Amino acid sequence: MPGKRKTMGKIALITGVTGQDGAYLAEFLLKKGYIVHGIKRRSSLFNTERIDHMYQDPHTEKRNFILHYGDMTDSMNLTKIIHDVSPDEIYNLAAMSHVKVSFDTPEYTANADGLGTLRILEAVRLLDMIRKTKIYQASSSELYGLAQEVPQTEKTPFYPRSPYGVAKLYAYWITVNYREAYGLHASNGILFNHESPIRGETFVTRKITRAMAKIALGMQETLFIGNLSSRRDWGHAKDYIKAMYLILQQDKPDDYVIATGITAEVREFIRKTFSSAGMDLLFTGSKENEKGSIVNIDDSLFIEKAGKEYLANIKKRILSNPVMVRVDKGYFRPTEVDQLIGDATKAREKLGWVPEYDLDGLINEMVSSDLHLMKKENHIKNGGFKTLNYFE
Ligand code: NAP
Ligand code: G4F
């Protein structure tokens, strides 16, 4: 891995810098001595919470973290930013990234996620930056969809199952095409699901860790969930953004699967989340009637994680109604990706990439963070102040 001296002063442009991966990657590249430019969307509310700790006032001299307004659906805007920034590396992370929402906004998803990638590639070509600028494309394990092989490798045929997956399929192949047609250093990272304490609140893992924290503190009754049986290969975003960086440090562009090689059901993720705070869940029933109930509490673990003051309340709640998890068909998708498990052998051998987190480590970190967050909300509420309501 190149040291700080080799990367000092390099210029990176990150689309989607306000997202989970964009925020972690920006922090990582700044530590390596990069000058980081990020593209953020105009929004009627602040949308920079994940990157605010890195913010530098525009009046500061010699900034190394600079934001630009932009949108993946606006070619001229993207071309101008790439021209002005003249990046050594572009990390194209911006996307409408929610699979379920892509069924509601298929055309927009195709535009932002599919054509958006073309706009970046074409800008680099038209600006005559092919020899200067390397491009990372955020490809996805959603490409495998109805998986044709277990585990999935770089050679497994794609079979996407959502407008999101199909848009990302276009983005994958247009990246390969620009590499082959014009010699661009353009690579796909085919990343399997990766999560963190700053994961978007409506993805299943964060929805679960937030709900568990609220239930433990008496702020929520029930976690309503969709397909409990789908399986995902979940890793930690902090590990995965390192793979993005490594992919662009290679002499030759190429495509890589990035995954942990371990798969678990949504049901198992829920069980592990509750048990990491001392609550044992038992699932009974089937299909839409399946339920998750607390059958035991490890008092000392609960006190350590949630706090002594919340123990009596959860025990009382269990006596009146131990059911904490119920299925809501509204969260089912028209076509589902039933199971994903990746084989990252190529990334391990060629990039030297190995994840540091396992699933338990990931869940522990997310649980601690969401318990902390919800306790803060509780204190604000108990102090007589209004807290924000987010409906998930
Ligand atoms: P994320 O948290 O949803 O972030 C997406 C980013 O894209 C946000 O900054 C968002 O801006 C921005 N964005 C959305 N539409 C845009 C548009 N039209 N123009 C400009 N910016 C736009 O996603 P993530 O988890 O960090 O994932 C990063 C990338 O990797 C995405 O392309 C995703 O599809 C892909 N991916 C993710 C995973 C995963 O498990 N996390 C796995 C494989 C691939 P706002 O903040 O304003 O919404
Ligand atoms: O957390 P999810 O919404 O992630 P999904 O669909 O796997 O997509 C994520 O990972 C992809 C990589 O494979 C990325 F490309 C994509 O951008 C995104 O980051 O859902 C995971 C699974 C699905 O099978 C879903 O049906 O959980 C199931 N699920 C069950 N109940 C639920 C819920 N998903 C959500 N979001 N909400 C539920 O209540």
Side-chain angles (χ1 to χ4, degrees), residues 16-22 41 47 50 70-73 92-97 108 112 138-141 164 168 191-195 199 203:
V17 73
T18 57
Q20 170 189 257
D21 293 3
R41 294 195 283 185
N47 60 354
R50 293 187 177 106
D71 199 290
M72 293 305 289
T73 59
N92 183 31
L93 310 186
M96 200 309 288
S97 72
Y108 170 72
S139 283
S140 163
S141 51
Y164 168 82
K168 285 281 185 181
L191 271 51
F192 282 61
N193 298 51
H194 46 280
E195 321 292 314
R199 179 63 147 151
F203 294 101

Side-chain angles (χ1 to χ4, degrees), residues 13 15 39 69-85 90 92 94 112 115-121 123-124 127:
L13 174 65
T15 72
I39 298 183
Y69 280 112
D71 199 290
M72 293 305 289
T73 59
D74 187 334
S75 318
M76 280 187 269
N77 154 267
L78 292 173
T79 307
K80 180 174 188 313
I81 294 172
I82 293 171
H83 170 268
D84 293 352
V85 168
I90 298 178
N92 183 31
L115 291 180
T117 304
L118 172 68
R119 292 181 182 108
I120 299 274
L121 294 160
V124 169
L127 291 168

Side-chain angles (χ1 to χ4, degrees), residues 249-309:
Q249 308 319 305
Q250 305 309 301
D251 290 336
K252 289 200 175 127
D254 206 345
D255 308 317
Y256 298 88
V257 161
I258 304 297
T260 68
I262 293 175
T263 188
E265 286 184 349
V266 170
R267 190 182 286 106
E268 183 63 3
F269 194 100
I270 298 176
R271 212 187 51 72
K272 279 178 179 285
T273 298
F274 276 78
S275 83
S276 84
M279 294 173 279
D280 292 339
L281 269 190
L282 179 70
F283 283 94
T284 53
S286 66
K287 298 191 175 151
E288 295 104 88
N289 296 319
E290 189 165 348
K291 293 176 190 135
S293 309
I294 297 189
V295 288
N296 182 49
I297 291 207
D298 176 335
D299 288 6
S300 55
L301 186 54
F302 184 91
I303 289 169
E304 183 195 324
K305 291 293 176 85
K308 200 174 173 190
E309 63 272 40

Side-chain angles (χ1 to χ4, degrees), residues 157-199:
F158 298 140
Y159 193 142
R161 293 270 278 176
S162 63
Y164 168 82
V166 177
K168 285 281 185 181
L169 184 77
Y170 177 83
Y172 172 92
W173 282 117
I174 200 68
T175 301
V176 172
N177 183 245
Y178 269 60
R179 177 166 85 214
E180 293 175 353
Y182 307 117
L184 219 81
H185 193 298
S187 302
N188 286 288
I190 308 171
L191 271 51
F192 282 61
N193 298 51
H194 46 280
E195 321 292 314
S196 73
I198 58 166
R199 179 63 147 151

